[in-house]
Amino acid sequence: MAKFGLWWYRYNGEYTQVSNATPDDLYINGFDFAVALDGEGTRTKFSGSLYSNGYNDDRELALRVKGWLDGASGIPYLVTIPYFTPSGGKRGLSYWEGWIDGVASIESYYFKGFYWSLEDAKPIQSGRITEYEINAILGRIQEVERDLGKDLQFIWIPTLRSVLCSGTITDQDGDGVITNNDVILWLDKYSEIALLSKYFDYVFPQPGYYFADKIGANCNQIEYTYSLLVDILRWIRNSNPSNIYIEMEADGAVRSSEYKLQRACDYVSAQETIGGSIWENRAYYFDWDINIVSYIRNTCPKW
């Protein structure tokens, strides 16, 4: 069983901690790993696209992350591989290979792997990445594993909203109406999670249910009902490789909205509806505030 907590930083001339959680806070709340990230890379330093730029940029970040999450009361942590530049461009393979080597050059017992930051669940179709590049990134991580003599995690947390909201969902099964089954067939058609999962130790799709009341046509077409969440989780569990799990999602709105609190708790009951229990491996988004986790668990303890 492994639970990954997303832990946030940002860069604005220097790196600053955004998340308020200490390693002890993360342990107390049941997390096995912290994932140090800024999102998809736009708030991470970018000095240029060369291998040497990636190497030096990540050494700078890795030293800061080590200071935040390492030490006598440290927690095992993963470091992001940033996809986007601050201006929204693609950093590129040479940069990413340098980045991987840069973090590996900082000695840390608690460094345990990498997080692939691009959240697009159809990245090849969208032209953002090639399978060759993903394979090359994994190959460089495996080289670092051999050099360091330890196993490293490589995880991905794609958002299903990049598929579910990207177009008008049409009648896929030909019965003349749009149903949950059409949504599942839409995911089969456009999601590349199953294709790319072999490059990762774990993949944690973001259902997007907490944030989106509707899906399709930029999230304004079809109601995102609880029954649809159950069917989507069943699709994740039964139609994809066994290393694919779920990201639990919530933010500070649970404190002021019973509706949002219920949407967060629905992630637990939907998993139990499918298999009788929640899945053993999970990633968690709770914005920057670790106290959101305990607030939700006051209502749904298994979250």
Side-chain angles (χ1 to χ4, degrees):
M1 177 182 293
K3 288 184 282 186
F4 297 78
L6 273 59
W7 190 94
W8 299 83
Y9 68 82
R10 67 176 171 223
Y11 180 81
N12 188 14
E14 64 178 1
Y15 283 108
T16 57
Q17 175 178 329
V18 175
S19 289
N20 64 357
T22 66
D24 283 343
D25 292 330
L26 293 165
Y27 272 126
I28 289 169
N29 282 276
F31 294 107
D32 305 290
F33 297 90
V35 182
L37 76 164
D38 76 325
E40 294 181 286
T42 57
R43 293 176 292 176
T44 293
K45 182 177 180 179
F46 179 69
S47 61
S49 59
L50 300 177
Y51 172 94
S52 59
N53 298 122
Y55 184 91
N56 291 324
D57 287 353
D58 195 29
R59 275 184 60 86
E60 182 177 345
L61 173 63
L63 283 168
R64 294 294 288 143
V65 173
K66 181 177 180 178
W68 290 322
L69 298 175
D70 208 323
S73 60
I75 187 170
Y77 62 84
L78 283 66
V79 176
T80 189
I81 300 175
Y83 179 86
F84 290 112
T85 68
S87 62
K90 176 181 177 179
R91 295 188 182 230
L93 183 56
S94 293
Y95 183 95
W96 294 323
E97 289 177 335
W99 181 273
I100 292 164
D101 291 349
V103 70
S105 71
I106 304 299
E107 183 177 351
S108 169
Y109 170 78
Y110 286 102
F111 166 60
K112 300 296 182 182
F114 294 94
Y115 161 72
W116 176 237
S117 68
L118 182 62
E119 297 182 16
D120 191 343
K122 49 179 179 57
I124 297 173
Q125 294 179 56
S126 66
R128 297 190 187 279
I129 196 76
T130 66
E131 195 168 354
Y132 170 83
E133 288 172 307
I134 290 289
N135 185 51
I137 290 167
L138 174 61
R140 183 54 60 98
I141 292 172
Q142 291 171 336
E143 290 178 13
V144 167
E145 285 184 311
R146 291 191 291 269
D147 291 343
L148 297 181
K150 65 179 182 180
D151 293 330
L152 297 176
Q153 303 282 352
F154 186 33
I155 72 168
W156 181 33
I157 308 180
T159 174
L160 294 183
R161 284 183 291 170
S162 62
V163 174
L164 295 176
C165 293
S166 61
T168 300
I169 297 173
T170 56
D171 180 12
Q172 298 291 301
D173 56 16
D175 65 358
V177 293
I178 306 299
T179 64
N180 288 5
N181 187 56
D182 295 301
V183 176
I184 298 306
L185 292 173
W186 189 266
L187 285 170
D188 278 336
K189 185 175 181 179
Y190 292 107
S191 168
E192 295 165 346
I193 291 173
L195 171 67
L196 297 177
S197 64
K198 60 181 176 288
Y199 298 107
F200 299 93
D201 293 287
Y202 296 109
V203 180
F204 300 100
Q206 307 171 40
Y209 171 83
Y210 176 85
F211 296 104
D213 295 332
K214 294 185 177 182
I215 61 170
N218 298 318
C219 284
N220 197 34
Q221 179 191 353
I222 302 168
E223 294 293 332
Y224 199 161
T225 63
Y226 176 77
S227 69
L228 180 54
L229 173 66
V230 171
D231 284 345
I232 286 174
L233 296 196
R234 185 176 288 112
W235 171 80
I236 291 173
R237 186 75 296 180
N238 297 335
S239 303
N240 288 289
S242 61
N243 64 330
I244 300 178
Y245 294 93
I246 188 175
E247 180 184 72
M248 310 289 277
E249 299 174 298
D251 61 14
V254 295
R255 293 193 178 99
S256 57
S257 169
E258 287 293 327
Y259 173 76
K260 283 292 192 181
L261 179 58
Q262 183 57 57
R263 297 282 279 195
C265 291
D266 284 347
Y267 284 61
V268 174
S269 58
Q271 291 174 70
E272 291 179 326
T273 296
I274 294 167
S277 62
I278 60 175
W279 302 345
E280 62 270 28
N281 301 305
R282 304 183 295 280
Y284 281 78
Y285 172 82
F286 45 88
D287 205 350
W288 58 270
D289 186 1
I290 189 67
N291 298 303
I292 291 170
V293 176
S294 56
Y295 185 90
I296 295 170
R297 288 175 179 167
N298 285 333
T299 299
C300 39
K302 296 179 182 179
W303 195 84

